[in-house]
Amino acid sequence: MTTSLADHLRALPDESLAALLQLRPDLVVPVPADVTALAVRAESRVSVARALDGLDQFTLQILDAARLTRRPEDGTSSTDAVLALATAGPHPPAPTSVRSALDRLRALFLLYGPESALRVAGGVDEVAPYPAGLGRPAAELDPRAAALCADAAKLRRTLLAAPPSARAVLDRLAAGPPVGSVPPGALQAPAVGAEDELPPDPTNGGAPTGSPVRWLVDARLLVRVSTGTVELPREVGLLLRRDSGPLGPLRTSPPPVAGTLREPKLADSAGAGQTMELVRHTEALLESLAAEPAPVLRSGGVGVRDLRRLARVTGLDEAATALVLEVAYAAGLIGETDLPGATTTRYGADQQVLPTGGYEVWRAVSLAHRWEQLARAWLTMSRQVGLVGQRDDRDRPISVLSAEAERAGAPAARRAVLEVLADLAPATAPSPDEVLALLDWRAPRRSRGREAAHREVLTEAAQLGVTGLGALTSYGRLLLAEVTEADGRGGGDPLGLRSDAESGEPSSAVRALDALLPAPVDHFLVQADLSVVVPGPPDPMLAAELDVVAEHESAGGASVHRVTTASVRRALDAGYTTEDLHALFRRRSRTPVPQGLTYLVDDVARRHGGLRVGSAGGYVRSDDEALLAEVLADRRLEPLGFRRLAPTVLVTPYQVQRMLLALRDAGYAPVPEDATGAAVLARPKIRRAPARAATGHSVDPLAAPKPAMPRLLGVVEQIRRGDAAARAARRAPAVVRGGAARAAAGPMPAHSHSDALAVLQQALRDKALVWVGYVDAHGATASRLVRPVSIGAGYLRAEDERTEMLHTFALHRITAAVREG
């Protein structure tokens, strides 16, 4: 009869062992040396916790039933005992549901062995010390409490005598967990004169003895387990649960979701409209950063002052602006770069945040492609934007783009929330409470304590257009499926960095969104008041032209721009000629070009370049002496300190760029010229941060890659060979003797993993030197002579006396151990 997990795994066929590795892929990273090492890893705290995190509430309750029904003599349970306990409540589940949960637990090897002798994997009790939220048996806590619990009638009488305040404490602990912290002094004897305020103790003749907790401890209903901590004995908890069953309420299926059924087209249209807003806000934010980069704080991230400035530019609140900023950073559209010629700013930093070269590429693709890049970055980034503005553990505010907002579980939380919406009927909009209830049933260990983060996901999904009217959009569903599929493959595009523009084939999400968005337009309508109306989203070329020749006024389904003197002058400064501008308006406008616009362009062009600016410091020259006299007499330009060198030349000690800005602010239209007198007409230089890839992770960065079955069968074969070699080595006589020989050969391969652990534990007790063989992070084998310091929590900590360094070894990576000498 198999008694250990290693023996049980060793007896399995290759296909069954490969099925285990497929369900728990973390067991093969790195590949175990033999079956014993695989069993140790399968029962380790980290691997067991990862397996438990993926179980639903009912399956976890059935596992608790197996733990509660273990026989004291051999620590095993049985299927019949589990069925009896699970069906003991007022609303028993169907036996088939219980058996299905047991089958799942056995497939994961959290339970193993025959049905008549089920064993619980070793690490389960360490990860979840209180099965079903019940405490330890009274016999393990306190002999006097055990005596009380042994007398069922006396236990019921004591419970009935508990005052209301004490009974409230019992009910809270009976719901789990069964331990509680006690305020200082709560277990001390009462002060003289305070007896009238304390509940009586029926075991002490009705005399008051202290607070409600003190009353319960004196009554043996609670047991003090340490200073300031009490525990509810299991027997008391079971008695308090007599109405709900020993395992608590059992629900074999997820809670129902009523939700609101939306019209699918309306939900998609609402989401599509929000995608347009997201792209527009992102572009406005990045243009603002290009014009005025945000300095990086010494502690990292962008300061509150700059976040508020960007919020005013985008017209969003600070939380929504932080989301756009974080998503743009994750998508690789913005980055940090060193300040030119400076070492500090008002924040004390030497870097700035501004758009990267990828921003230009992003602007050139379609609106749906732009949205997909942002939404994919949000879905996979390891940032929890809702933490921005809160306080960290050192009571400092968390700033946007700072390292304190990193959360490795953020991608998995987003996918969990969106999968709840995806599993509902299309266009169903559940309430946030319904979503949280579903998550709490599907994976209670993962969702515990993350309610606020899950609510933030729903809010962010609506702001990004992934959901519309509270329901998951059709294109959002497709994007989620693509990211999940990439995560399941574990390759190809695990980080979600694939660019549809580069692959030439748009994704299904892009195609679905394209069908919902209005077609890009390549024309506009010029009004008599010189306003330019674009009746739809402009194509990238038209948008670039409008950025130069007009001022943006309003956005929406139809955006509005306006041609002004400043915008025409900006176009001329960028290199457009008068004929270029007239041709642009004739080509793009679907309405006759107003005469006022023609006059405006001609008038600005006539005055453009009337003044020429060069360096002296700086000089101004013009053939129009009257114009130079006007400049010289203009009081607004007095700070420049102009002096007349000739009837047609003025000079100033200041640099050309400052003079250009001052003249333009005063209403003049100067242009710079080079040393030959030719006009220098060019767009201003645009600074960009170095290009960087989008930052993203697998949607569950804590999960191991999921190899295909053929690869797993190869791994099983490798483990079998290692196991056979270990058995042969144990049977072979030792041929290397003496400390010097061992030092040359390193660890002897004659030890299995369990033997190696025994050697290490003995060396720890003897404070002896030991050779440790292990597999490093790259999969290579190595050895080291060390003195063990501690063994616990899945790690060996040992000192290398030669280098006087402390090393930490994961126990599942250790392959051999040999005493020195």
PDB file of all heavy atoms in Angstrom, residues 29 34 67 129 143 149 165 203 254 258 289 333 364 395 447 478 482 513 518 521 547 592-593 629 635 712:
ATOM      1  N   VAL A  29       9.600  23.552 -13.464  1.00  0.00           N
ATOM      2  CA  VAL A  29      10.487  24.713 -13.631  1.00  0.00           C
ATOM      3  C   VAL A  29      11.331  24.853 -12.368  1.00  0.00           C
ATOM      4  O   VAL A  29      10.885  25.399 -11.369  1.00  0.00           O
ATOM      5  CB  VAL A  29       9.677  26.004 -13.880  1.00  0.00           C
ATOM      6  CG1 VAL A  29      10.618  27.176 -14.106  1.00  0.00           C
ATOM      7  CG2 VAL A  29       8.736  25.838 -15.052  1.00  0.00           C
ATOM      8  N   ASP A  34      14.382  13.738  -9.980  1.00  0.00           N
ATOM      9  CA  ASP A  34      13.760  12.414  -9.930  1.00  0.00           C
ATOM     10  C   ASP A  34      12.356  12.561  -9.393  1.00  0.00           C
ATOM     11  O   ASP A  34      11.879  13.682  -9.119  1.00  0.00           O
ATOM     12  CB  ASP A  34      14.588  11.437  -9.081  1.00  0.00           C
ATOM     13  CG  ASP A  34      14.881  11.980  -7.686  1.00  0.00           C
ATOM     14  OD1 ASP A  34      14.110  12.834  -7.216  1.00  0.00           O
ATOM     15  OD2 ASP A  34      15.881  11.561  -7.082  1.00  0.00           O
ATOM     16  N   ARG A  67      -9.937  17.034   5.069  1.00  0.00           N
ATOM     17  CA  ARG A  67      -9.011  17.327   6.160  1.00  0.00           C
ATOM     18  C   ARG A  67      -9.669  17.115   7.524  1.00  0.00           C
ATOM     19  O   ARG A  67      -9.018  16.676   8.479  1.00  0.00           O
ATOM     20  CB  ARG A  67      -8.508  18.765   6.033  1.00  0.00           C
ATOM     21  CG  ARG A  67      -7.738  19.015   4.749  1.00  0.00           C
ATOM     22  CD  ARG A  67      -7.551  20.496   4.515  1.00  0.00           C
ATOM     23  NE  ARG A  67      -6.740  21.123   5.547  1.00  0.00           N
ATOM     24  CZ  ARG A  67      -6.607  22.437   5.689  1.00  0.00           C
ATOM     25  NH1 ARG A  67      -7.266  23.269   4.894  1.00  0.00           N
ATOM     26  NH2 ARG A  67      -5.841  22.917   6.642  1.00  0.00           N
ATOM     27  N   PRO A 129      -4.080  26.715   7.434  1.00  0.00           N
ATOM     28  CA  PRO A 129      -4.007  25.975   8.698  1.00  0.00           C
ATOM     29  C   PRO A 129      -5.356  25.691   9.348  1.00  0.00           C
ATOM     30  O   PRO A 129      -5.425  24.834  10.229  1.00  0.00           O
ATOM     31  CB  PRO A 129      -3.158  26.889   9.586  1.00  0.00           C
ATOM     32  CG  PRO A 129      -3.331  28.254   9.011  1.00  0.00           C
ATOM     33  CD  PRO A 129      -3.512  28.072   7.545  1.00  0.00           C
ATOM     34  N   PRO A 143      -6.288  21.217  28.103  1.00  0.00           N
ATOM     35  CA  PRO A 143      -6.996  20.063  28.703  1.00  0.00           C
ATOM     36  C   PRO A 143      -8.331  20.457  29.327  1.00  0.00           C
ATOM     37  O   PRO A 143      -9.299  19.699  29.248  1.00  0.00           O
ATOM     38  CB  PRO A 143      -6.002  19.557  29.760  1.00  0.00           C
ATOM     39  CG  PRO A 143      -4.673  20.077  29.318  1.00  0.00           C
ATOM     40  CD  PRO A 143      -4.946  21.388  28.645  1.00  0.00           C
ATOM     41  N   CYS A 149     -15.545  20.356  26.320  1.00  0.00           N
ATOM     42  CA  CYS A 149     -16.099  19.920  25.029  1.00  0.00           C
ATOM     43  C   CYS A 149     -16.504  18.448  25.062  1.00  0.00           C
ATOM     44  O   CYS A 149     -17.365  18.027  24.282  1.00  0.00           O
ATOM     45  CB  CYS A 149     -15.072  20.156  23.927  1.00  0.00           C
ATOM     46  SG  CYS A 149     -14.750  21.912  23.611  1.00  0.00           S
ATOM     47  N   SER A 165     -22.819  40.144  24.259  1.00  0.00           N
ATOM     48  CA  SER A 165     -21.542  40.635  23.735  1.00  0.00           C
ATOM     49  C   SER A 165     -20.555  39.503  23.521  1.00  0.00           C
ATOM     50  O   SER A 165     -19.806  39.468  22.532  1.00  0.00           O
ATOM     51  CB  SER A 165     -20.951  41.684  24.684  1.00  0.00           C
ATOM     52  OG  SER A 165     -20.770  41.120  25.985  1.00  0.00           O
ATOM     53  N   THR A 203     -19.653  29.567  35.493  1.00  0.00           N
ATOM     54  CA  THR A 203     -18.776  28.563  36.110  1.00  0.00           C
ATOM     55  C   THR A 203     -18.154  29.072  37.398  1.00  0.00           C
ATOM     56  O   THR A 203     -17.433  28.347  38.067  1.00  0.00           O
ATOM     57  CB  THR A 203     -17.654  28.162  35.140  1.00  0.00           C
ATOM     58  OG1 THR A 203     -16.831  29.301  34.887  1.00  0.00           O
ATOM     59  CG2 THR A 203     -18.237  27.659  33.825  1.00  0.00           C
ATOM     60  N   PRO A 254     -21.919  28.683  -9.233  1.00  0.00           N
ATOM     61  CA  PRO A 254     -21.734  30.104  -8.902  1.00  0.00           C
ATOM     62  C   PRO A 254     -23.060  30.794  -8.642  1.00  0.00           C
ATOM     63  O   PRO A 254     -24.118  30.362  -9.135  1.00  0.00           O
ATOM     64  CB  PRO A 254     -21.033  30.662 -10.147  1.00  0.00           C
ATOM     65  CG  PRO A 254     -21.321  29.705 -11.236  1.00  0.00           C
ATOM     66  CD  PRO A 254     -21.447  28.369 -10.591  1.00  0.00           C
ATOM     67  N   ALA A 258     -28.305  38.503 -12.109  1.00  0.00           N
ATOM     68  CA  ALA A 258     -29.480  39.062 -12.790  1.00  0.00           C
ATOM     69  C   ALA A 258     -29.022  40.023 -13.876  1.00  0.00           C
ATOM     70  O   ALA A 258     -29.256  39.829 -15.067  1.00  0.00           O
ATOM     71  CB  ALA A 258     -30.397  39.761 -11.775  1.00  0.00           C
ATOM     72  N   LEU A 289       2.771  66.832 -23.366  1.00  0.00           N
ATOM     73  CA  LEU A 289       4.093  66.427 -22.871  1.00  0.00           C
ATOM     74  C   LEU A 289       5.183  66.800 -23.859  1.00  0.00           C
ATOM     75  O   LEU A 289       6.309  67.112 -23.463  1.00  0.00           O
ATOM     76  CB  LEU A 289       4.113  64.919 -22.612  1.00  0.00           C
ATOM     77  CG  LEU A 289       3.421  64.425 -21.344  1.00  0.00           C
ATOM     78  CD1 LEU A 289       3.447  62.918 -21.287  1.00  0.00           C
ATOM     79  CD2 LEU A 289       4.075  65.010 -20.094  1.00  0.00           C
ATOM     80  N   LEU A 333       4.456  54.543 -25.607  1.00  0.00           N
ATOM     81  CA  LEU A 333       4.280  55.828 -26.290  1.00  0.00           C
ATOM     82  C   LEU A 333       4.998  56.965 -25.583  1.00  0.00           C
ATOM     83  O   LEU A 333       5.229  58.021 -26.190  1.00  0.00           O
ATOM     84  CB  LEU A 333       2.789  56.153 -26.419  1.00  0.00           C
ATOM     85  CG  LEU A 333       1.939  55.112 -27.158  1.00  0.00           C
ATOM     86  CD1 LEU A 333       0.492  55.571 -27.226  1.00  0.00           C
ATOM     87  CD2 LEU A 333       2.493  54.848 -28.543  1.00  0.00           C
ATOM     88  N   ALA A 364       0.143  57.273 -36.958  1.00  0.00           N
ATOM     89  CA  ALA A 364      -0.019  57.023 -38.388  1.00  0.00           C
ATOM     90  C   ALA A 364      -0.958  55.864 -38.689  1.00  0.00           C
ATOM     91  O   ALA A 364      -1.335  55.677 -39.849  1.00  0.00           O
ATOM     92  CB  ALA A 364       1.344  56.748 -39.027  1.00  0.00           C
ATOM     93  N   ASP A 395       4.027  56.041   4.405  1.00  0.00           N
ATOM     94  CA  ASP A 395       3.121  57.184   4.494  1.00  0.00           C
ATOM     95  C   ASP A 395       3.490  58.281   3.500  1.00  0.00           C
ATOM     96  O   ASP A 395       3.304  59.466   3.758  1.00  0.00           O
ATOM     97  CB  ASP A 395       3.095  57.751   5.917  1.00  0.00           C
ATOM     98  CG  ASP A 395       1.862  58.635   6.151  1.00  0.00           C
ATOM     99  OD1 ASP A 395       0.802  58.322   5.578  1.00  0.00           O
ATOM    100  OD2 ASP A 395       1.972  59.642   6.866  1.00  0.00           O
ATOM    101  N   SER A 447      -9.421  36.291  -4.696  1.00  0.00           N
ATOM    102  CA  SER A 447     -10.235  37.507  -4.629  1.00  0.00           C
ATOM    103  C   SER A 447     -10.287  38.111  -3.234  1.00  0.00           C
ATOM    104  O   SER A 447     -10.680  39.275  -3.074  1.00  0.00           O
ATOM    105  CB  SER A 447     -11.672  37.193  -5.093  1.00  0.00           C
ATOM    106  OG  SER A 447     -12.271  36.230  -4.251  1.00  0.00           O
ATOM    107  N   LEU A 478     -13.331  39.869 -27.961  1.00  0.00           N
ATOM    108  CA  LEU A 478     -12.342  39.308 -28.877  1.00  0.00           C
ATOM    109  C   LEU A 478     -10.919  39.598 -28.408  1.00  0.00           C
ATOM    110  O   LEU A 478     -10.038  38.734 -28.485  1.00  0.00           O
ATOM    111  CB  LEU A 478     -12.562  39.869 -30.286  1.00  0.00           C
ATOM    112  CG  LEU A 478     -13.856  39.432 -30.981  1.00  0.00           C
ATOM    113  CD1 LEU A 478     -14.056  40.219 -32.271  1.00  0.00           C
ATOM    114  CD2 LEU A 478     -13.833  37.936 -31.274  1.00  0.00           C
ATOM    115  N   GLU A 482      -7.967  36.886 -27.405  1.00  0.00           N
ATOM    116  CA  GLU A 482      -6.635  36.878 -28.028  1.00  0.00           C
ATOM    117  C   GLU A 482      -5.533  36.894 -26.973  1.00  0.00           C
ATOM    118  O   GLU A 482      -4.552  36.143 -27.067  1.00  0.00           O
ATOM    119  CB  GLU A 482      -6.496  38.083 -28.958  1.00  0.00           C
ATOM    120  CG  GLU A 482      -7.366  38.015 -30.198  1.00  0.00           C
ATOM    121  CD  GLU A 482      -7.364  39.328 -30.961  1.00  0.00           C
ATOM    122  OE1 GLU A 482      -6.607  40.225 -30.562  1.00  0.00           O
ATOM    123  OE2 GLU A 482      -8.121  39.447 -31.931  1.00  0.00           O
ATOM    124  N   LEU A 513     -13.964  46.480 -34.202  1.00  0.00           N
ATOM    125  CA  LEU A 513     -14.077  47.884 -33.825  1.00  0.00           C
ATOM    126  C   LEU A 513     -14.133  48.779 -35.054  1.00  0.00           C
ATOM    127  O   LEU A 513     -14.869  49.777 -35.075  1.00  0.00           O
ATOM    128  CB  LEU A 513     -12.903  48.276 -32.926  1.00  0.00           C
ATOM    129  CG  LEU A 513     -12.875  49.717 -32.430  1.00  0.00           C
ATOM    130  CD1 LEU A 513     -14.162  50.078 -31.694  1.00  0.00           C
ATOM    131  CD2 LEU A 513     -11.663  49.966 -31.543  1.00  0.00           C
ATOM    132  N   PRO A 518     -16.967  55.316 -37.217  1.00  0.00           N
ATOM    133  CA  PRO A 518     -17.191  55.988 -38.510  1.00  0.00           C
ATOM    134  C   PRO A 518     -15.929  55.953 -39.349  1.00  0.00           C
ATOM    135  O   PRO A 518     -14.807  55.986 -38.823  1.00  0.00           O
ATOM    136  CB  PRO A 518     -17.574  57.415 -38.099  1.00  0.00           C
ATOM    137  CG  PRO A 518     -17.035  57.588 -36.716  1.00  0.00           C
ATOM    138  CD  PRO A 518     -17.097  56.241 -36.077  1.00  0.00           C
ATOM    139  N   VAL A 521     -12.282  60.410 -42.523  1.00  0.00           N
ATOM    140  CA  VAL A 521     -12.560  61.345 -43.619  1.00  0.00           C
ATOM    141  C   VAL A 521     -11.270  62.046 -44.010  1.00  0.00           C
ATOM    142  O   VAL A 521     -10.362  62.213 -43.196  1.00  0.00           O
ATOM    143  CB  VAL A 521     -13.636  62.373 -43.212  1.00  0.00           C
ATOM    144  CG1 VAL A 521     -14.952  61.692 -42.884  1.00  0.00           C
ATOM    145  CG2 VAL A 521     -13.175  63.192 -42.016  1.00  0.00           C
ATOM    146  N   ASP A 547      -3.146  70.086 -37.658  1.00  0.00           N
ATOM    147  CA  ASP A 547      -2.334  70.479 -36.503  1.00  0.00           C
ATOM    148  C   ASP A 547      -1.470  71.695 -36.819  1.00  0.00           C
ATOM    149  O   ASP A 547      -1.139  72.489 -35.925  1.00  0.00           O
ATOM    150  CB  ASP A 547      -1.437  69.316 -36.074  1.00  0.00           C
ATOM    151  CG  ASP A 547      -2.211  68.258 -35.306  1.00  0.00           C
ATOM    152  OD1 ASP A 547      -3.324  68.554 -34.858  1.00  0.00           O
ATOM    153  OD2 ASP A 547      -1.689  67.130 -35.170  1.00  0.00           O
ATOM    154  N   PRO A 592     -16.983  75.860 -50.753  1.00  0.00           N
ATOM    155  CA  PRO A 592     -16.127  76.904 -51.339  1.00  0.00           C
ATOM    156  C   PRO A 592     -15.285  77.586 -50.268  1.00  0.00           C
ATOM    157  O   PRO A 592     -15.752  77.850 -49.150  1.00  0.00           O
ATOM    158  CB  PRO A 592     -17.132  77.871 -51.964  1.00  0.00           C
ATOM    159  CG  PRO A 592     -18.364  77.058 -52.204  1.00  0.00           C
ATOM    160  CD  PRO A 592     -18.429  76.068 -51.068  1.00  0.00           C
ATOM    161  N   VAL A 593     -14.043  77.844 -50.596  1.00  0.00           N
ATOM    162  CA  VAL A 593     -13.145  78.495 -49.634  1.00  0.00           C
ATOM    163  C   VAL A 593     -13.599  79.947 -49.474  1.00  0.00           C
ATOM    164  O   VAL A 593     -13.668  80.698 -50.455  1.00  0.00           O
ATOM    165  CB  VAL A 593     -11.691  78.441 -50.120  1.00  0.00           C
ATOM    166  CG1 VAL A 593     -10.776  79.155 -49.133  1.00  0.00           C
ATOM    167  CG2 VAL A 593     -11.249  76.997 -50.307  1.00  0.00           C
ATOM    168  N   ALA A 629      11.575 101.530 -37.252  1.00  0.00           N
ATOM    169  CA  ALA A 629      11.361 102.620 -36.296  1.00  0.00           C
ATOM    170  C   ALA A 629      10.233 102.267 -35.330  1.00  0.00           C
ATOM    171  O   ALA A 629      10.287 102.591 -34.138  1.00  0.00           O
ATOM    172  CB  ALA A 629      11.050 103.911 -37.057  1.00  0.00           C
ATOM    173  N   ARG A 635       7.310  99.963 -26.731  1.00  0.00           N
ATOM    174  CA  ARG A 635       7.692  99.801 -25.319  1.00  0.00           C
ATOM    175  C   ARG A 635       7.668  98.339 -24.880  1.00  0.00           C
ATOM    176  O   ARG A 635       8.362  97.965 -23.941  1.00  0.00           O
ATOM    177  CB  ARG A 635       6.749 100.623 -24.442  1.00  0.00           C
ATOM    178  CG  ARG A 635       6.944 102.115 -24.590  1.00  0.00           C
ATOM    179  CD  ARG A 635       6.166 102.864 -23.517  1.00  0.00           C
ATOM    180  NE  ARG A 635       6.424 104.288 -23.574  1.00  0.00           N
ATOM    181  CZ  ARG A 635       5.940 105.170 -22.712  1.00  0.00           C
ATOM    182  NH1 ARG A 635       5.144 104.739 -21.715  1.00  0.00           N
ATOM    183  NH2 ARG A 635       6.220 106.458 -22.809  1.00  0.00           N
ATOM    184  N   LEU A 712       5.727  17.476 -22.352  1.00  0.00           N
ATOM    185  CA  LEU A 712       5.576  16.963 -20.995  1.00  0.00           C
ATOM    186  C   LEU A 712       5.918  15.485 -20.917  1.00  0.00           C
ATOM    187  O   LEU A 712       6.496  15.025 -19.925  1.00  0.00           O
ATOM    188  CB  LEU A 712       4.146  17.211 -20.502  1.00  0.00           C
ATOM    189  CG  LEU A 712       3.778  18.678 -20.257  1.00  0.00           C
ATOM    190  CD1 LEU A 712       2.320  18.804 -19.893  1.00  0.00           C
ATOM    191  CD2 LEU A 712       4.638  19.267 -19.141  1.00  0.00           C
TER     192      LEU A 712
END
